[in-house]
Amino acid sequence: MMQEGRLPRAKKRFGQNFLVQPQIVERIVAAIRPASGDHLVEIGPGPGALTRSLLRLLPQLTVVELDRDMIAGLRALAPPEQLRVLQADALEVDFAALAGAGNALRIVGNLPYNVATPLIFHILEHAEQVRDMHFMLQKEVVDRVVAVPGSKAYGRLSVMIQAHCAVESLFTVAPGNFFPVPKVDSAFMRLIPHRPGLLPPHLQAPFARIVATSFAQRRKTLANNLRGILSADDLRGLQIDPGCRAETLDQTAFFRLAEATVEQGDRS
C-alpha cells in the first residue's frame, strides 16, 4: 500500500478519497485494457495513482482535476505532449469538444460520491462521442445503476442510465483501499453507450419526464402516479397493468409510455 504520509491532504468539499492500493489500480487498468490509440480521459486523478499506471501504457492521456493543489504534481508526472492536465470542474467540461474529430472518448475516474450521478448524466449528453466509461462509485449507487426490474434497488436511476448504456458492475472495493477511509464500500463499473441509441431524439425529454413521474412515489400504483398524464385505460391499451408499480416495469414499457405521451400531445 502507498505511504499515507506522501499523500496530499484530502478535502471534504471535493469529496476526496484517494485510492492507495496498487493491486486495485492494477485491476482497474486490466478492466479498462487501454491501447495506444485510445483517447482516454481520467476524471479526478487526485495525486495520480491511476494516472501513473495509465501513462506507462498510453502515449497520450488527458486528466480533468478540480483541485488546484493537485495540478502541479500531476503536471510533473509526464511532459505536456503525453499528459494534458485540465484544471476544471468535470460537470462543466464539454466532452464533445474534448473528443473533437478524433477517436471516441474512453472515460475513467474515481468519482466523488456527491457528484457521481449528475456527472454521469452530463457525460451522457455527449454519448455519441463516448466509447465507454469506467467509474469507481459508491457500491449502493452501482447496485442501483445495474438493478433489474422487480428488485429493491431498481428505480429511476436504473431505467435512465440503462436506456443509454449497457451497464456492468465489475468488482467491489472495500473502504480500506482508500485514504481517508470512507464509511461505505465502493464498486468499479463499466458503462457502454448503446450504438445506435435506443431513444430517438424526440423521445428523450418525454422519456425522462415519464420515468421521473412514474417513480415519484414508489408506494403508489402507476395509474396514481401518472394521473392526469395517462389514464388507466391508456395503460391497459399499452398492455400495462394500471395497478402495478413502476419498479416492476422494464425499459421497453417506459419507452411505450413515453411514446404514448407524445402521441397524446400530437392529438391535442
Side-chain angles (χ1 to χ4, degrees):
M1 186 171 289
M2 300 174 189
Q3 294 298 314
E4 294 174 359
R6 299 178 183 175
L7 292 172
R9 181 175 60 86
K11 298 175 183 175
K12 286 187 178 181
R13 71 180 184 275
F14 293 145
Q16 291 172 333
N17 295 93
F18 304 132
L19 186 60
V20 294
Q21 180 55 262
Q23 286 83 356
I24 300 299
V25 173
E26 290 173 8
R27 289 191 70 182
I28 290 172
V29 174
I32 300 170
R33 290 187 295 181
S36 61
D38 289 345
H39 190 172
L40 201 144
V41 178
E42 183 187 0
I43 296 174
L50 177 58
T51 312
R52 291 179 177 87
S53 292
L54 294 173
L55 285 170
R56 287 194 285 269
L57 299 170
L58 294 169
Q60 289 185 317
L61 173 66
T62 299
V63 298
V64 180
E65 176 57 59
L66 177 60
D67 188 350
R68 293 179 183 273
D69 293 340
M70 301 290 175
I71 300 302
L74 289 168
R75 286 181 173 151
L77 295 179
E81 58 268 23
Q82 183 184 11
L83 179 62
R84 180 186 181 189
V85 180
L86 301 180
Q87 196 279 311
D89 183 344
L91 284 166
E92 299 176 359
V93 169
D94 184 342
F95 286 93
L98 200 58
N103 294 341
L105 299 177
R106 305 193 68 195
I107 303 175
V108 61
N110 173 25
L111 302 185
Y113 300 152
N114 58 335
V115 300
T117 299
L119 180 54
I120 290 173
F121 280 111
H122 173 61
I123 294 171
L124 287 176
E125 293 174 7
H126 313 286
E128 291 183 359
Q129 285 81 32
V130 177
R131 174 178 153 191
D132 58 24
M133 294 167 273
H134 292 81
F135 292 136
M136 185 79 73
L137 305 172
Q138 184 175 346
K139 184 177 183 297
E140 178 186 352
V141 175
V142 172
D143 289 345
R144 289 166 56 202
V145 170
V146 304
V148 297
S151 64
K152 185 178 180 181
Y154 185 75
R156 180 185 178 187
L157 186 65
S158 322
V159 177
M160 289 302 300
I161 292 185
Q162 290 177 34
H164 293 91
C165 297
V167 299
E168 183 181 3
S169 179
L170 299 175
F171 53 86
T172 300
V173 183
N177 292 291
F178 299 89
F179 181 81
V181 178
K183 296 179 180 179
V184 297
D185 285 342
S186 299
F188 191 64
M189 74 173 307
R190 177 183 294 131
L191 302 97
I192 303 177
H194 296 304
R195 297 281 190 272
L198 302 182
L199 274 170
H202 77 282
L203 275 186
Q204 297 276 355
F207 179 79
R209 285 195 298 270
I210 204 72
V211 172
T213 306
S214 297
F215 283 101
Q217 298 186 61
R218 291 183 67 103
R219 292 178 178 271
K220 286 193 172 184
T221 65
L222 191 66
N224 281 333
N225 274 333
L226 296 182
R227 183 173 294 158
I229 301 174
L230 294 171
S231 68
D233 286 341
D234 291 330
L235 297 177
R236 293 188 189 96
L238 297 170
Q239 287 78 53
I240 296 173
D241 177 6
C244 74
R245 291 177 177 170
E247 61 262 30
T248 66
L249 300 183
D250 63 15
Q251 198 176 93
T252 58
F254 285 106
F255 291 160
R256 296 202 303 275
L257 290 170
E259 288 171 344
T261 63
V262 172
E263 290 171 1
Q264 281 200 351
D266 290 341
R267 291 195 295 266
S268 61

